[in-house]
Amino acid sequence: MGWAIALHGGAGAIPVDLPPERLEPREAALRRILQIGVSALNARCSPLDVVELVVRELENCPHFNAGKGSVLTTNGTVEMEACIMDGNSKRCGAVSGVSTVVNPISLARQRPLQENRQGLETIDESHFITTENIERLKQAKEANRVQETPVPDGDSKLGTVGCVAVDSLGNLAAATSTGGLVNKMVGRIGDTPIIGAGTYANKFCAISATGIGEAIIRETVARDVAAVMEYKGLGLKEAADYIVHQVSPKGTTGLVAVSSTGEVAMPFNTTGVFNFEFGTEETKPDRI
Amino acid sequence: MAGWAIAVHGGAGVDPNLPADRQEEAKQLLTRCLNLGIDALRSSLSAIDVVELVVRELETDPLFNSGRGSALTENGTVEMEASIMDGSGRRCGAVSGLTTVKNPISLARLVMDKSPHSYLAFSGAEKFAKQMGVETVENDYFITQDNLEMLKLAKEADSIVFDYRIPQVGYESCGTGVQSPIHMNGLPISIYAPETVGCVVVDSEGRCAAATSTGGLLNKRMGRIGDSPLIGAGTYAGELCGVSCTGEGEAIIRGTLAREVGAVMEYKGLGLQEAVDFVIKERLDEGKAGLIAVSNTGEVAYGFNCVGMFRGCATENGFMEVGIWE
């Protein structure tokens, strides 16, 4: 079998009739960043390196709710969180409440107690704030809403970015990064940095989920996909479909997943568009 | 209905040389908390109310590592975290980085009941506490002489101490043969937080709940979050069970230990004790941890793969047991 990779830029209430000029930049960015991941896999980089690299790119792109372009807290600030997990060792790292580190996923990857920590690039908080997000916060405050319910006429309010990858030997890794929920309370932690909720990888599969954090935490979405594969013997697609369509409440969850045998799955139960891309070594990288 | 059941714990991983009077103190506290829970269950309080009130008692007592009596951070301060989960509906609440809230578990409950979120941390959590009007105190309220001395030892040894009740000089003579250095997440530092507290309950309606609270690792970095506030790792409650874990945080997180008990019951059809045994045996790799669990059919179980776990359990049919060792 060859490698496989899937990445996402968030699942949510992007209406399917959003004007193309709003959808296009996101789709183009995902395609470009997919190629970066594909090149790395072809160069035999480890899946752990690949998912970090891809998520760094997604963080740097202002169209997604992670890194630059993160949605704003109720105070108008940015609080980012990220998580990365290696399937073989199940070693993992997570961070939350990050406001000056340019790439939170790289901070998550660093072992917190490592002696020779490499300096990570930090920057003034204003770097992460975009005019679109200032506008989103304004709208949310006017509606007196924290986006726990999807709004049908809105732009993408739910988002997170993530990447999962498997190499030809079946080594798996997952990474997720986000700015969280628009108008969230300061100090609110979502599903992204919680192992087993928004991010998980073991010897069976690697998962990165997105949607309404509170629901993903309660349903331990990422862990359960892998658990259903292991304990009920389901294949990846069956397991992912089961968790997303039978277990998770409608409108709350989307995920990308790859398995140790190179399967790919990306089910979602949200009403709008789910931005994702995937590729496998055997076929040309493509999008459903 | 099968009847209620309750279990409490005060941490997995106990100094085998713990003086007899400290053992007695611990057992008395566990017994007192168990009885508090039993009285509440007899008064028909729901599982979620019972786990909260028992953990409040454990936090208030300075003996174990939660609330007052929490282990100290590298700065000599206390940073507490907790989580609570209601099995019916699987609602949950968690907090981290608390420095003034007298009962972290109650703030976690308020996050669950009164906020739009599931998890609040640090300044945001403290701000929420003020809005909710919960009781707050100065940080030094939580600091005990015991813990000040342990921090001093840990700093002198320049490490985070595995089982801080063992004096450094005693390692070689310690019967359990503590390995050194102990690894976690590939690092040569022993990271172990004994004496996290927790409670799990199934009430007479068959509803399960779980709650966990801790000060975290001795000498921890500011901002470090462990397994106790992470749903699925340190705490979990669903239709079938309620679970609270304690031990090496990294191992519990990586093994999504609390959720695992529920997952094997749900997806493999194992009974409670089988599930607990399976998870402790198969899901901890080289990690050391323990857990307590109840099932919706009124069973109670516990398991641990280290030297000792402070625990107590009781069921409606009169069974009651408090213990430390195997």
Side-chain angles (χ1 to χ4, degrees):
Chain A
M1 72 167 235
W3 49 256
I5 178 172
L7 55 139
H8 70 79
I14 309 173
V16 290
D17 55 0
L18 195 69
E21 59 266 22
R22 302 289 293 277
L23 268 179
E24 240 300 294
R26 288 193 180 103
E27 292 175 353
L30 280 177
R31 281 193 296 267
R32 174 180 65 80
I33 295 170
L34 173 67
Q35 290 311 316
I36 293 173
V38 164
S39 304
L41 282 164
N42 279 329
R44 304 296 160 205
C45 290
S46 73
L48 194 62
D49 285 340
V50 173
V51 300
E52 183 192 356
L53 167 62
V54 168
V55 170
R56 283 175 67 96
E57 290 291 327
L58 290 162
E59 285 170 340
N60 293 342
C61 179
H63 298 308
F64 304 110
N65 174 15
K68 189 174 166 77
S70 284
V71 299
L72 305 181
T73 70
T74 195
N75 282 9
T77 55
V78 158
E79 284 186 1
M80 301 171 286
E81 44 199 29
C83 183
I84 190 164
M85 190 162 186
D86 171 53
N88 280 339
S89 61
K90 300 214 307 234
R91 285 168 58 187
C92 42
V95 291
S96 189
V98 176
S99 55
T100 60
V101 173
V102 174
N103 289 104
I105 195 65
S106 296
L107 186 62
R109 183 151 180 204
Q110 288 202 349
R111 295 289 162 257
L113 300 165
Q114 198 170 326
E115 281 171 16
N116 298 316
R117 263 181 84 162
Q118 290 175 336
L120 284 181
E121 192 184 349
T122 58
I123 201 164
D124 186 81
E125 196 172 335
S126 56
H127 158 87
F128 304 99
I129 299 176
T130 61
T131 41
E132 287 93 346
N133 279 304
I134 294 175
E135 186 54 37
R136 283 195 187 106
L137 179 62
K138 186 156 161 277
Q139 284 175 9
K141 280 183 179 294
E142 278 162 12
N144 196 24
R145 172 171 41 84
V146 179
Q147 44 156 147
E148 69 269 18
T149 44
V151 171
D153 61 344
D155 194 352
S156 167
K157 289 179 166 56
L158 303 175
T160 292
V161 301
C163 182
V164 291
V166 60
D167 64 17
S168 54
L169 300 171
N171 297 309
L172 290 147
T176 316
S177 180
T178 189
L181 290 185
V182 181
N183 201 23
K184 67 182 178 181
M185 290 170 74
V186 168
R188 177 262 189 185
I189 298 182
D191 65 290
T192 292
I194 301 185
I195 294 291
T199 310
Y200 188 74
N202 65 3
K203 291 190 161 69
F204 287 83
C205 61
I207 317 283
S208 170
T210 170
I212 299 181
E214 283 68 17
I216 295 171
I217 290 172
R218 169 185 342 135
E219 306 295 344
T220 55
V221 167
R223 173 68 191 113
D224 271 36
V225 174
V228 163
M229 285 184 77
E230 186 175 351
Y231 299 135
K232 292 187 92 71
L234 300 190
L236 182 74
K237 282 193 168 72
E238 268 191 285
D241 279 347
Y242 174 72
I243 294 301
V244 171
H245 295 299
Q246 311 281 355
V247 176
S248 292
K250 193 154 168 58
T252 63
T253 310
L255 62 89
V256 293
V258 290
S259 75
S260 61
T261 55
E263 301 163 275
V264 187
M266 55 282 298
F268 59 99
N269 67 17
T270 47
T271 52
V273 172
F274 178 26
N275 286 144
F276 63 83
E277 292 284 341
F278 73 97
T280 62
E281 191 164 8
E282 276 97 32
T283 62
K284 283 210 172 89
D286 199 0
R287 181 179 192 279
I288 291 174
Chain B
M1 279 290 148
W4 52 256
I6 176 173
V8 301
H9 74 74
V14 183
D15 173 7
N17 300 318
L18 189 65
D21 59 337
R22 299 300 287 254
Q23 292 188 43
E24 196 44 46
E25 235 184 311
K27 284 165 78 168
Q28 279 176 18
L29 175 58
L30 291 165
T31 304
R32 192 173 89 237
C33 290
L34 212 53
N35 282 325
L36 214 68
I38 292 170
D39 285 344
L41 282 161
R42 288 193 179 130
S43 312
S44 301
L45 252 60
S46 65
I48 189 75
D49 287 337
V50 177
V51 298
E52 183 191 354
L53 85 89
V54 170
V55 170
R56 281 179 66 94
E57 187 65 25
L58 289 161
E59 286 171 339
T60 304
D61 193 291
L63 189 65
F64 294 132
N65 175 12
S66 69
R68 181 148 180 268
S70 282
L72 304 183
T73 69
E74 63 182 357
N75 285 8
T77 58
V78 161
E79 260 181 26
M80 300 166 289
E81 46 197 22
S83 63
I84 190 165
M85 192 160 185
D86 184 354
S88 45
R90 287 193 305 282
R91 299 177 312 125
C92 46
V95 288
S96 278
L98 297 185
T99 53
T100 66
V101 174
K102 191 148 179 270
N103 287 101
I105 198 64
S106 293
L107 191 66
R109 173 101 194 248
L110 286 168
V111 170
M112 177 175 84
D113 287 342
K114 297 269 185 341
S115 88
H117 302 315
S118 293
Y119 189 7
L120 289 177
F122 294 93
S123 65
E126 291 281 333
K127 183 169 164 202
F128 179 65
K130 281 193 179 53
Q131 285 169 357
M132 291 288 113
V134 299
E135 195 178 351
T136 56
V137 290
E138 294 293 314
N139 196 254
D140 54 21
Y141 160 85
F142 303 103
I143 300 175
T144 61
Q145 195 56 38
D146 255 4
N147 280 296
L148 279 167
E149 277 158 24
M150 288 304 150
L151 181 65
K152 190 154 161 284
L153 268 181
K155 284 191 177 292
E156 280 164 11
D158 196 34
S159 71
I160 300 174
V161 185
F162 171 80
D163 180 345
Y164 62 64
R165 289 183 181 276
I166 304 178
Q168 287 297 102
V169 70
Y171 269 116
E172 313 85 71
S173 58
C174 169
T176 56
V178 171
Q179 314 102 312
S180 152
I182 293 154
H183 282 72
M184 186 183 297
N185 248 3
L187 292 178
I189 295 178
S190 86
I191 313 180
Y192 190 89
E195 300 179 0
T196 289
V197 304
C199 180
V200 293
V201 163
V202 55
D203 61 26
S204 38
E205 309 288 317
R207 297 173 297 209
C208 299
T212 314
S213 179
T214 189
L217 292 179
L218 178 64
N219 200 25
K220 70 181 177 182
R221 238 177 136 84
M222 307 298 282
R224 184 264 185 186
I225 290 178
D227 63 290
S228 300
L230 302 186
I231 296 296
T235 304
Y236 184 77
E239 282 294 310
L240 298 181
C241 64
V243 185
S244 171
C245 305
T246 166
E248 281 176 22
E250 311 289 343
I252 295 169
I253 292 171
R254 185 185 324 139
T256 54
L257 220 66
R259 171 58 188 140
E260 207 64 11
V261 174
V264 298
M265 289 181 76
E266 225 173 298
Y267 300 132
K268 267 168 89 84
L270 298 192
L272 185 73
Q273 188 68 62
E274 269 189 288
V276 169
D277 292 342
F278 173 83
V279 168
I280 293 292
K281 186 153 177 281
E282 305 292 339
R283 289 289 172 252
L284 277 171
D285 302 327
E286 306 94 38
K288 296 290 183 202
L291 61 90
I292 53 174
V294 289
S295 75
N296 65 348
T297 54
E299 300 161 285
V300 66
Y302 61 84
F304 53 95
N305 68 351
C306 38
V307 178
M309 179 169 77
F310 295 107
R311 81 268 172 186
C313 4
T315 60
E316 190 166 7
N317 62 13
F319 167 75
M320 181 154 161
E321 171 199 86
V322 170
I324 301 178
W325 314 113
E326 200 61 54

